[in-house]
Amino acid sequence: MKFKVFLVIVFIVCFRITLKAQMSIDTIKIDEVRVYGSYPDVHVVGASVLKVDTLKLLTFSNRSLADLLQSNNFNIKTYGVGGLASISTRGGSSYHTAVVWNGINIQSPMNGNVNLSMMPVTMFNSIKFQEGGSGTAYGSGAVSGVLLVNSNGILNTPNKVNVGIMYGGGNTRSVTSGVKLGNRNVAVALKLYGSKADNDYSFKNIFKYGEPKENISNAQAKQYGLLSDASVRFAENTQWNLSGWIQHNNKNLQTIMSSTNPSQANQTDDNYAASSNFKFSFGNVAFKLKNALLDGKIDYSDPTTNNFSISEFTQFINEIEAKVAALKGGEVDINLNYTRETASADDYTSGNALRNKLSAYASLSKSFFNRKVLLSTVLRSDMIDGDFKPTTYSLGTEYNVLSFLKLKASAARVFRFPTLNDLFWANTTYAAGNPDLKPELGWNTDCGAVFHYSTNLVSVEVANTIYYTNIK
């Protein structure tokens, strides 16, 4: 398919108040401190990134990530309270946008989707959206954009306790709570979320004679979730972050408008995620060891049609990354990733599916002309079950023309591997898998300009971006 060319204009105005401390005339000599960029930051050169501000995170703390993104004019496909909600950007499908939690791509290997209605905003400290293709860094599915959510990084946040309560239409109520304790060397955080909704709105049923007024039936939903983070700094150059996330969703599937019999269908979703991120450095070299386990289960039942099905997947992710400061202001990044995916479903040809993925990439970023020009390039190779896939690559650049004007551009080879459903689904009435499916391949290019002006009281930013995506 081909996506058309669009011109996107973003106009952001924000006000701020700055408190100036008394200036000191003393000069203090301190030892050199070397700062290394985090995993996502190396790959945003030339790309447009929208960061959700902390005030909005607080405002939407009792609501889902789908609700927050809709308020920022993202295209969210949603099936009501507690139902499937997925993001679609730049004309792509939901599986063309990667969702990354603490550096881990959490797209389902079965269908490539992530249900955003099961991601409470209160769970995250930071939410960003990076536009355009980023497959060289985040792998399959990062075609139209990448949604980056983070819950770790708690060593530098203040200790706090928070509680939130919300009540809304359809007898919707939710409670959030969280606590963070620790210091700059050891810290733990725990966040809890729970919600229930009757979703019994009244409506005019235009599918029935006389268009009677009815109430939605069998549309109740309830959710609960728990997310815990722990961080330990063993030394200035050594840190270990651990995260665990449990999410449960129980949703009745409402009666369709043309039906005369109430629905009894129900679906429960259970998701579990755990990650370990160990970082350390020696001299000019920084290492990162990352491990993650993701497990998801969907249980569907409909007694009226005698339809019962269970599908489940597990992902085991292992990654090692090394960064080397080189070339006077440059950085070389080398990454190796191994992912094992297993899945089972009643409609799979053999009942079970297994896939082993091995990927490696190398990147180089370098600044020129007193940091006025920044250049980044990435080369990536993937292998699935011993079969090498086409090599992908990307290039990004930024040029600070003036203190208030920046030009930027990027180009990337983008791709999406077939999901396990695409490959192993049995021949049914509505779908059929094909084990010989090839990956989707294409190009994504962006170019634009950013104008930024700020004073002590006001900050204005205007961004213009032109992009083109072609994938087939």
Side-chain angles (χ1 to χ4, degrees):
M1 63 181 146
K2 292 185 178 180
F3 305 157
K4 301 298 183 180
V5 180
F6 295 88
L7 177 65
V8 181
I9 300 178
V10 181
F11 184 75
I12 303 173
V13 180
C14 59
F15 295 91
R16 67 181 184 185
I17 299 176
T18 303
L19 298 178
K20 293 186 176 180
Q22 181 180 357
M23 296 181 61
S24 173
I25 60 175
D26 294 332
T27 301
I28 302 175
K29 184 178 180 179
I30 61 175
D31 295 332
E32 177 186 5
V33 177
R34 187 177 298 276
V35 179
Y36 296 93
S38 62
Y39 174 79
D41 294 338
V42 177
H43 307 282
V44 300
V45 177
S48 298
V49 180
L50 171 66
K51 181 178 180 180
V52 180
D53 63 75
T54 54
L55 179 59
K56 198 151 197 175
L57 290 178
L58 181 62
T59 304
F60 281 80
S61 60
N62 281 74
R63 303 174 68 177
S64 72
L65 189 54
D67 296 328
L68 182 143
L69 293 174
Q70 276 187 319
S71 73
N72 279 279
N73 298 319
F74 282 92
N75 181 21
I76 303 296
K77 300 177 182 178
T78 178
Y79 289 86
V81 177
L84 176 64
S86 56
I87 185 172
S88 176
T89 59
R90 293 193 170 186
S93 298
S94 57
Y95 47 70
H96 286 133
T97 299
V99 180
V100 177
W101 168 63
N102 290 350
I104 302 294
N105 189 333
I106 60 174
Q107 286 177 289
S108 167
M110 299 186 72
N111 55 32
N113 286 322
V114 176
N115 188 355
L116 302 181
S117 71
M118 291 181 59
M119 300 180 69
V121 173
T122 189
M123 299 295 193
F124 312 115
N125 302 328
S126 170
I127 299 175
K128 300 178 184 178
F129 186 82
Q130 179 179 329
E131 298 178 337
S134 302
T136 50
Y138 299 104
S140 174
V143 175
S144 300
V146 181
L147 180 60
L148 301 160
V149 296
N150 286 282
S151 61
N152 54 19
I154 58 175
L155 288 177
N156 299 319
T157 60
N159 293 338
K160 62 181 179 179
V161 176
N162 61 277
V163 177
I165 301 174
M166 185 194 75
Y167 182 84
N171 198 27
T172 301
R173 56 272 193 206
S174 69
V175 177
T176 62
S177 62
V179 59
K180 185 267 174 176
L181 297 173
N183 51 49
R184 67 180 302 272
N185 293 320
V186 181
V188 293
L190 180 66
K191 300 171 185 176
L192 301 172
Y193 173 84
S195 71
K196 294 183 70 174
D198 294 337
N199 199 27
D200 54 352
Y201 295 95
S202 61
F203 68 100
K204 182 185 291 187
N205 194 336
I206 61 175
F207 282 86
K208 293 183 179 179
Y209 177 76
E211 299 184 353
K213 190 174 182 180
E214 300 179 352
N215 287 336
I216 297 175
S217 62
N218 198 58
Q220 300 88 349
K222 60 181 179 181
Q223 287 185 4
Y224 62 79
L226 179 152
L227 193 150
S228 179
D229 292 285
S231 295
V232 180
R233 193 196 313 272
F234 299 98
E236 288 301 323
N237 60 349
T238 307
Q239 183 176 320
W240 192 16
N241 300 315
L242 296 170
S243 299
W245 185 7
I246 299 173
Q247 194 70 37
H248 172 80
N249 185 48
N250 188 316
K251 166 71 174 174
N252 289 335
L253 306 181
Q254 69 188 59
T255 307
I256 61 176
M257 295 174 66
S258 58
S259 176
T260 56
N261 298 317
S263 170
Q264 298 182 37
N266 173 270
Q267 178 175 308
T268 60
D269 296 71
D270 290 285
N271 289 281
Y272 309 93
S275 70
S276 168
N277 192 326
F278 185 72
K279 299 182 290 185
F280 60 98
S281 62
F282 297 101
N284 291 338
V285 184
F287 294 92
K288 181 182 294 185
L289 303 178
K290 188 181 301 181
N291 307 96
L293 179 65
L294 308 177
D295 186 87
K297 181 180 179 180
I298 299 177
D299 188 348
Y300 174 84
S301 62
D302 187 354
T304 59
T305 60
N306 198 32
N307 188 354
F308 302 90
S309 66
I310 296 177
S311 60
E312 187 171 4
F313 74 84
T314 301
Q315 283 183 292
F316 186 43
I317 302 167
N318 300 276
E319 184 175 294
I320 182 170
E321 179 182 3
K323 294 181 181 181
V324 182
L327 302 176
K328 295 183 180 180
E331 185 177 73
V332 176
D333 187 356
I334 300 174
N335 181 289
L336 181 66
N337 178 291
Y338 168 70
T339 299
R340 177 183 173 89
E341 300 173 340
T342 60
S344 62
D346 296 336
D347 287 313
Y348 276 8
T349 51
S350 61
N352 298 283
L354 168 65
R355 181 162 63 179
N356 292 282
K357 299 193 299 184
L358 184 65
S359 66
Y361 76 77
S363 70
L364 171 64
S365 59
K366 179 77 170 68
S367 60
F368 302 89
F369 308 114
N370 255 351
R371 296 188 175 272
K372 291 182 69 70
V373 177
L374 181 60
L375 183 68
S376 175
T377 181
V378 186
L379 183 69
R380 179 187 179 101
S381 180
D382 289 83
M383 183 173 66
I384 297 181
D385 292 330
D387 181 22
F388 279 99
K389 301 302 177 182
T391 300
T392 55
Y393 31 85
S394 65
L395 177 69
T397 183
E398 295 180 356
Y399 174 36
N400 293 295
V401 183
L402 300 167
S403 60
F404 56 85
L405 179 62
K406 177 190 293 184
L407 303 179
K408 55 184 181 178
S410 64
R413 184 78 161 154
V414 293
F415 65 99
R416 186 185 77 88
F417 297 136
T419 65
L420 298 180
N421 287 1
D422 294 333
L423 298 172
F424 302 111
W425 202 264
N427 290 327
T428 61
T429 305
Y430 302 104
N434 181 358
D436 297 322
L437 275 179
K438 303 297 183 183
E440 291 182 281
L441 292 171
W443 284 95
N444 179 88
T445 57
D446 283 64
C447 63
V450 179
F451 171 84
H452 180 80
Y453 174 78
S454 63
T455 66
N456 291 339
L457 296 177
V458 63
S459 177
V460 180
E461 184 172 290
V462 180
N464 298 271
T465 303
I466 299 175
Y467 69 87
Y468 176 76
T469 303
N470 185 333
I471 184 169
K472 55 185 178 181

